[in-house]
Amino acid sequence: MHKRIFLHAAALAVASLSATHSIAQDNTFKIGLILPMTGLLASSGRQIEAAVKLYMAQNGDTVAGKKIQLIIKDDNTLPDVTKRLAQELIVNDKVNVLAGFGITPSAMATAPLATQSKTPMVVMAAATSSITLASPYIVRTSFTLPQASVALADWAPKNGIKKVVTLVSDYGPGIDAEKFFNQRLLLNGGQVMESLRVPLRGPDFAPFLQKVRDIKPDALFVFVPSGAGAAVMKQFLERGMDKAGIKLIGTGDITDDDQLNDMGDGALGVVTSHHYSAAHPSAANKKFVDAFKKANPTMRPNFMAMGGYDGMRVIYEALRISKGQGGGDALLAAMKGQIFESPRGPMYIDAQTRDVVQNIYLRKVEKKDGQLYNVEFDVVKDVKDPGKAQ
Ligand code: VNL
C-alpha cells in the first residue's frame, strides 16, 4: 500500500519535472542556488553566496528584459537534501537555472534531475572530473582536481621532491587528485611511497601523520576540501613534520584564502597549485577583491567565491545571448563556448565538455603587507581537464 502511494507520487513528480518548461513563464528569471550554508563545509556556501550577491550588485538584476530572482537554499552539506531542494526548485519554483553545488556528491545527486527537466545546472564548487559527464545540462565554473594536480607533479621533482606520500579525502575529488598527481609524478621519475585516504566526515589526521613521519618522504601531498585545510596545517605543524624535513604540498584547497591568514607563519613556504589566488596580480582581480572586501569586510574571497562569481557571469551572459527566449536548451547552448577575462585569468567554457579551461598557477605562501597570501610564481596556460582524456 505504502509502496503504491510512493510510486504514484514518484510518477507525478517525474511528470511535473518534464512539464516544467512548457508552462508559460512570467517576466522573472529564476536562479535556484543550492549551497552548503550550514554543516561540514559551510565556509564554501558563505563564500559563494557573497560572490553571487556581489555580481548582482555590480551588474543589476535585469537582463534581456527579465528580472533576475535569486532563490538560495541551504543543503547542510548533505547530498540527499541537495537533491530534494533541486526537485522543489524545479517543480514548485520553476527555476530557469540551478547553480551552486558545494560538494561532488551533491552535484551527482542532482544531475539526473537537470537532465530530466532540461534545466542548465551551473556547478560553481564541486570539482571531481566526472561531474560534467553526469548530465549534458551541467556547465562547470570551478575547476577539476586533475587540472590542479598535474602541474604540481611536474614542479616537484625539479625542485628536490622525489619521494612523496599522498593524503586525500576519501571521495571523488580526493581520488582524482591522488590518481593524477601520482601518475604524473611517476612519469617524471618520482616515487609514491604510500597513498593514504582519510574519511571526508570527521577525519582524524593524527594516525596518518604519524605514519607519514615514519616513512619520511621528501613531501606530503594533501587534498582536503576547502574549509578543512586549517586542521591539516595545524596538526602537520604540531607534529613537527616540517622540522623533520617533510615538506607540505598540495592543491590550493589546503591553503584556501578563506583560512590561510589564520594559519600562522607555519604556513609560510607551502607550495600549491591552483586556478585562483586572491593575490593574483591583475587589474580585474584587484577590482574583484576590493569590491568583495568592501561588501564583506571580514572576508577575503577564495576560489569558491571565484567559481560563484564567474558562474553568475556565465548565466547572465547566456540569458543576454539567448534574449530570454527558448528555455533551458537555448540557455545551455549560450553557456557553451563562453570566453572571457575573469579575475582568475583567462577563462573558457569548452563547448564540447562544458568544463572550464583555465590557467593553473604554482604558488608559494608568503607574507604581503603583514598577511599570508598564495603568491603565484609560475603558470601553466589554458589547462583542459586531463580527466576527460583518460
Ligand atoms: C570539492 C572539491 C569540494 C574541492 C571542495 O570544497 C573542494 C568537491 C568544499 O568536489 O566535493 O575544495
Side-chain angles (χ1 to χ4, degrees):
M1 181 62 193
H2 274 100
K3 196 169 172 195
R4 272 192 59 182
I5 292 174
F6 173 77
L7 285 177
H8 185 63
L12 272 182
V14 170
S16 53
L17 268 176
S18 40
T20 303
H21 285 276
S22 57
I23 295 167
Q25 298 195 353
D26 59 18
N27 234 20
T28 58
F29 181 89
K30 295 183 185 173
I31 303 173
L33 183 65
I34 312 177
L35 295 172
M37 298 304 298
T38 53
L40 189 65
L41 300 170
S43 60
S44 293
R46 281 199 304 275
Q47 284 273 343
I48 295 173
E49 180 191 32
V52 163
K53 288 188 169 163
L54 174 64
Y55 189 89
M56 292 185 72
Q58 290 175 331
N59 294 278
D61 63 357
T62 307
V63 180
K66 301 246 177 193
K67 179 113 176 123
I68 310 279
Q69 187 188 342
L70 183 67
I71 307 173
I72 302 180
K73 300 280 180 186
D74 171 17
D75 68 12
N76 193 23
T77 326
L78 297 170
D80 290 349
V81 179
T82 319
K83 184 176 178 181
R84 178 174 54 74
L85 293 171
Q87 171 106 5
E88 288 169 9
L89 285 165
I90 294 168
V91 175
N92 302 339
D93 297 295
K94 305 188 175 25
V95 294
N96 300 86
V97 183
L98 290 166
F101 307 101
I103 55 170
T104 290
S106 291
M108 288 302 201
T110 307
L113 302 181
T115 308
Q116 271 167 9
S117 65
K118 300 184 186 297
T119 308
M121 170 173 161
V122 178
V123 174
M124 296 170 159
T128 300
S129 173
S130 61
I131 287 174
T132 43
L133 303 176
S135 167
Y137 285 86
I138 291 179
V139 168
R140 173 156 39 202
T141 60
S142 52
F143 73 111
T144 79
L145 265 305
Q147 191 176 48
S149 303
V150 162
L152 194 62
D154 286 340
W155 173 85
K158 290 187 227 147
N159 289 274
I161 296 172
K162 295 244 156 56
K163 296 179 178 174
V164 179
V165 173
T166 58
L167 175 69
V168 302
S169 291
D170 191 5
Y171 78 120
I175 292 162
D176 268 1
E178 177 191 284
K179 179 175 164 196
F180 282 82
F181 180 85
N182 288 359
Q183 277 180 0
R184 189 69 159 223
L185 191 74
L186 291 175
L187 197 76
N188 290 328
Q191 205 181 329
V192 181
M193 321 260 312
E194 183 96 44
S195 296
L196 306 169
R197 296 180 183 176
V198 291
L200 172 62
R201 293 177 196 272
D204 176 7
F205 297 108
F208 294 95
L209 291 177
Q210 187 53 49
K211 199 161 179 190
V212 176
R213 247 197 107 122
D214 297 341
I215 300 170
K216 213 173 173 313
D218 299 324
L220 173 66
F221 168 92
V222 177
F223 165 81
V224 289
S226 179
V232 176
M233 184 72 74
K234 185 164 178 280
Q235 295 207 27
F236 185 87
L237 297 173
E238 272 173 11
R239 293 184 167 265
M241 310 282 286
D242 52 336
K243 300 208 173 61
I246 302 166
K247 292 203 169 69
L248 180 63
I249 58 174
T251 56
D253 309 72
I254 57 165
T255 54
D256 148 16
D257 275 299
D258 191 54
Q259 294 189 321
L260 177 59
N261 206 29
D262 298 324
M263 290 184 192
D265 287 356
L268 284 168
V270 170
V271 171
T272 56
S273 51
H274 228 209
H275 57 293
Y276 180 67
S277 165
H280 178 62
S282 74
N285 188 47
K286 190 172 180 333
K287 204 173 142 218
F288 168 66
V289 173
D290 288 349
F292 187 96
K293 284 186 178 164
K294 194 160 176 230
N296 309 277
T298 61
M299 290 168 82
R300 180 201 282 183
N302 70 1
F303 64 97
M304 291 295 175
M306 196 67 265
Y309 192 77
D310 284 344
M312 286 302 280
R313 195 270 181 201
V314 167
I315 294 169
Y316 267 48
E317 194 57 25
L319 181 54
R320 200 168 288 130
I321 295 168
S322 63
K323 301 186 174 62
Q325 311 289 316
D329 283 315
L331 211 54
L332 180 75
M335 290 180 180
K336 293 179 185 177
Q338 282 194 30
I339 185 162
F340 57 98
E341 165 79 10
S342 155
R344 72 179 87 181
M347 161 113 179
Y348 171 51
I349 304 294
D350 184 336
Q352 249 78 55
T353 62
R354 293 161 278 102
D355 221 332
V356 48
V357 179
Q358 59 191 335
N359 292 349
I360 295 297
Y361 306 90
L362 285 156
R363 316 95 51 84
K364 185 186 266 181
V365 177
E366 288 176 12
K367 214 169 229 178
K368 265 180 51 183
D369 308 324
Q371 303 215 5
L372 297 179
Y373 279 98
N374 294 296
V375 176
E376 295 166 1
F377 63 86
D378 204 356
V379 58
V380 188
K381 291 206 168 136
D382 303 327
V383 182
K384 274 188 151 194
D385 173 31
K388 296 297 184 304
Q390 300 250 326

